[in-house]
Amino acid sequence: MLSPRLSVAALLLGSSTVLAGTAGSFAQAGNTLVSALLMFLGNEETVYIIDKAEGNAAAVAGHPAWGAKWDIASQQAEVMDIRSNTFCSSGMHLPNGSFINLGGNDGITINGAPGSIKNTDGSGTGFWDSIYQDFDGRKSIRILNPCGSADDITSPQCRWYDDSSVLAMKSGRWYAAVEPLGDGTIVILGGFTAGGYVNREFPVKDPITQSGQAQNTYEYYPPKDVAPPLVQFLVDAGGLNAYAHMFLMPSGNIFVQANRSSMLWDHTSNTQTPLPDMPNGVVRVYPASGGAAMLPLTPANNYTPTIIFCGGSTMPDDDYGNYGGPHAETWNIPASNDCQRITPEPQDGSAPVYVADDPMLETRTMGQFIILPDGTLLMINGGLNGTAGYTTNLNEFITELPFGTSLASGPVFTPAIFNPNAPPGSRWSNQGLSPSTIPRLYHSSAILLPDASVLVAGSNPNPDVNLSTVFNTEYRAEIFYPPYFSASIRPAPTGIPKTLSYGGAPFDITIPSTSYTGSSNDAADNTTVVVVRGGFTTHGMNMGQRFLQLNNTYTVNKDGSITLHVSQMPPIPNIFQPGPAFVYVNIHGIPSNGSYVIIGSGNIEQQPTSPPGTLPSSVRLDSATGGIHNGTSQDNGSSDSDPKKSSNLGVIIGAIAAGVAVVAVVGALIAVFLARRRRAAARLAPSKEYPLSTAGAGWTSHNTDSSVFVPLAQAKYDDTWDPRTSSINAPYMDERRAASSIGSRSQVFGEYDPYSGEPAQTHAAPISHSGYRESPSSFR
């Protein structure tokens, strides 16, 4: 029997037509309140957004906000309090499903000038500002436990923890690269200490530290009891080493690419194995900002990682200039359309080489790869000319600023899709893809959503909020619907587990007959089960993004349903590191909704592994077909408690929930419905514009309780969230490290509750700054 809430929803449905996103198009998706410089998908319901400290009109805790959570179902944002400056920081998932945000800039005020209270090290950098009320964030480790609609987001458990007097990196890092290891530990590599365009003086006086401005070292989270070692590769990269591209390899080594150089890096011994240089003189890292991604890991390629790079810049080295800015008018210089791929650890023992792939359809800087559940890669955002970054400098190299402070021009409005398995010469296509109308240049971001659409947001090539320039600070969000949204029916699997292990016994997933039409054998032959991690997105990168196809066989049942017998993850955690991910089931390239899972134990530890379990042989049935029969799906005579019969519950609820969302859009019920939604444990369809068949396929039901995120509450992580009652010294703090250069905030402001949101004293009222004041030294 349906609950009263669902019964009302069913009555409201009537004969309403469910609205769907048009395949290949963009749709408006609300306002993010803060510009989406960084984003990550926290769970099935929520995207978290991080901006830099700036004069946003949205306020929280008495100051402009630079954090928000965006609700997928309602497409509404709520501000969140973050205490330190997150400008151009890094981020990564943890094994339990939490996320960390690392580093950033010092405490600043209007137009990026140093904050009103300076650090005591004589550098002139800001410790805290009385207007924006942001702390120095360069050493910050911020931790968030993603919460759902049933949770109180005002509670400490659902808020950002951000206090670097308690929890901090050993070194200040801005534009650091991060990559998780197979045990869940995070490697944090490189970065600036104070910021700039490229990480070097010009001319170079001190190649190791660039007179204290470069952080060419690495460290770990949780920390290890060693001083951050120097990485010679970063020194040799000559300053073009910000946001280096990092990918963990099966061996445990890390593939690293910066400037035009590449290496395999053994971080445990800090030794490097040089790999070939990037062909054709293309720089891929910031600020050239080419797109980079690991291609899908599949049984067909034996889970062998291959990295693809597309776009960036062929600007001469001297044109990159120094911390103060480029030595060229970058917006007049076309970006690159070159694509190269490399397999850093070939299984045949051959030497790694770069291999030219199909060039993009246009040049792009700041283009971003999003791996889609069907195994193709979306290239989105960016510009035809120039580089990332902004400047206010007029000098002998830059005599005018025709695009405001933007160093790029020619926004690329039409995305493109790369199919790595298509024949050479035919891998790129934008056929049937409509353009956006919003320029997405510097500080844009995009991420895959659970319903397999893509959230696109951000763009702010300005030192502070600016709503009256060529490329404004952008708050509008969009949803891009890939071509598979043309399908009238999408798979609605049930039985997907909440956790996946590294090896061990396989599990079964049920695909109801209403998830496809035609021959059941054909559908089963063309079904894949994939695990996708969207990563932590910023600056045209998705740190930690991966795609892995699980092995499976199948049994076709007489009612047309298909039982998939699915292997666990390969028993090598380095191939797909522990933590949160989404499982999708594809039939003929049409993906289901994603189901949230935790990969591994949920702990930072050597992950338990087991030999892969044996899959049964596939069983075919020529007479079985999919679709609707006599108005209802066929059953196999099982009882109501049989999971095969009850598997269509998710389909029914999915139709109801999606229909309610549509009715709510056009009726006065929306306000009451969304208010109740936030207080209720029941979960709705992830998108009000999710296409459904007449059978209602397309929403995955969780037949157990609503505590999808149980791994987040494991006791090992409890002391992350309340240092007032638990020890936070281990494993999250190295008590042997030297005192932070920013000092203790509690020493400066007196007794301080880390969850209170502001220091224990009154500050000047914040202002909303939406104009632009030229700051000759401001260059980010």
Side-chain angles (χ1 to χ4, degrees), residues 442-643:
Y442 189 43
H443 293 157
S444 299
S445 55
I447 199 162
L448 182 71
L449 295 179
D451 70 347
S453 64
V454 176
L455 175 64
V456 187
S459 191
N460 186 20
N462 302 289
D464 207 328
V465 173
N466 193 337
L467 304 179
S468 58
T469 185
V470 182
F471 301 124
N472 289 340
T473 303
E474 187 58 67
Y475 300 107
R476 289 173 293 174
E478 297 173 288
I479 303 292
F480 175 72
Y481 294 95
Y484 44 68
F485 272 79
S486 62
S488 59
I489 298 176
R490 291 178 63 178
T494 60
I496 296 174
K498 298 288 193 299
T499 61
L500 296 179
S501 60
Y502 292 105
F507 58 92
D508 286 352
I509 296 174
T510 299
I511 307 296
S513 64
T514 51
S515 288
Y516 66 95
T517 58
S519 163
S520 300
N521 288 344
D522 180 61
D525 287 339
N526 290 279
T527 295
T528 58
V529 181
V530 302
V531 185
V532 182
R533 176 177 290 139
F536 199 115
T537 175
T538 188
H539 287 73
M541 303 178 299
N542 284 62
M543 301 176 181
Q545 178 178 224
R546 293 209 176 192
F547 173 113
L548 186 143
Q549 179 187 338
L550 298 172
N551 271 307
N552 78 274
T553 56
Y554 59 80
T555 296
V556 174
N557 304 307
K558 65 180 182 180
D559 64 347
S561 66
I562 302 168
T563 302
L564 301 176
H565 314 294
V566 187
S567 290
Q568 299 282 350
M569 301 292 289
I572 305 175
N574 292 341
I575 291 176
F576 198 109
Q577 303 96 315
F582 284 78
V583 174
Y584 295 85
V585 175
N586 297 284
I587 299 180
H588 285 292
I590 307 302
S592 68
N593 228 33
S595 294
Y596 181 97
V597 297
I598 290 289
I599 310 298
S601 69
N603 298 322
I604 297 176
E605 62 182 3
Q606 183 175 338
Q607 295 296 302
T609 61
S610 303
T614 302
L615 291 172
S617 299
S618 292
V619 177
R620 300 164 63 82
L621 184 62
D622 291 344
S623 62
T625 59
I628 304 297
H629 305 282
N630 297 322
T632 60
S633 62
Q634 299 292 307
D635 67 47
N636 58 3
S638 58
S639 67
D640 288 347
S641 60
D642 191 316

Side-chain angles (χ1 to χ4, degrees), residues 192-269:
F192 298 70
T193 62
Y197 181 58
V198 294
N199 206 2
R200 70 181 180 193
E201 307 168 288
F202 198 86
V204 174
K205 303 171 187 175
D206 170 14
I208 303 298
T209 71
Q210 303 291 333
S211 300
Q213 299 178 84
Q215 191 55 257
N216 291 323
T217 64
Y218 71 105
E219 58 183 291
Y220 297 91
Y221 176 85
K224 299 183 184 297
D225 190 18
V226 295
L230 180 72
V231 179
Q232 188 61 39
F233 176 83
L234 298 179
V235 176
D236 296 340
L240 287 166
N241 57 15
Y243 281 146
H245 297 296
M246 297 175 67
F247 297 91
L248 182 69
M249 293 290 109
S251 67
N253 291 330
I254 298 176
F255 172 77
V256 185
Q257 198 280 321
N259 201 326
R260 300 172 183 87
S261 303
S262 308
M263 72 163 175
L264 274 175
W265 180 42
D266 183 345
H267 62 93
T268 60
S269 62

Side-chain angles (χ1 to χ4, degrees), residues 28 31 79 280 577 751 772:
Q28 295 300 307
N31 185 303
V79 294
N280 304 322
Q577 303 96 315
E751 190 61 28
Y772 163 72

Side-chain angles (χ1 to χ4, degrees), residues 105 160 187 199 254-255 305 413 523 626 638 652:
N105 198 8
W160 280 102
V187 180
N199 206 2
I254 298 176
F255 172 77
F413 293 104
S638 58
I652 297 169

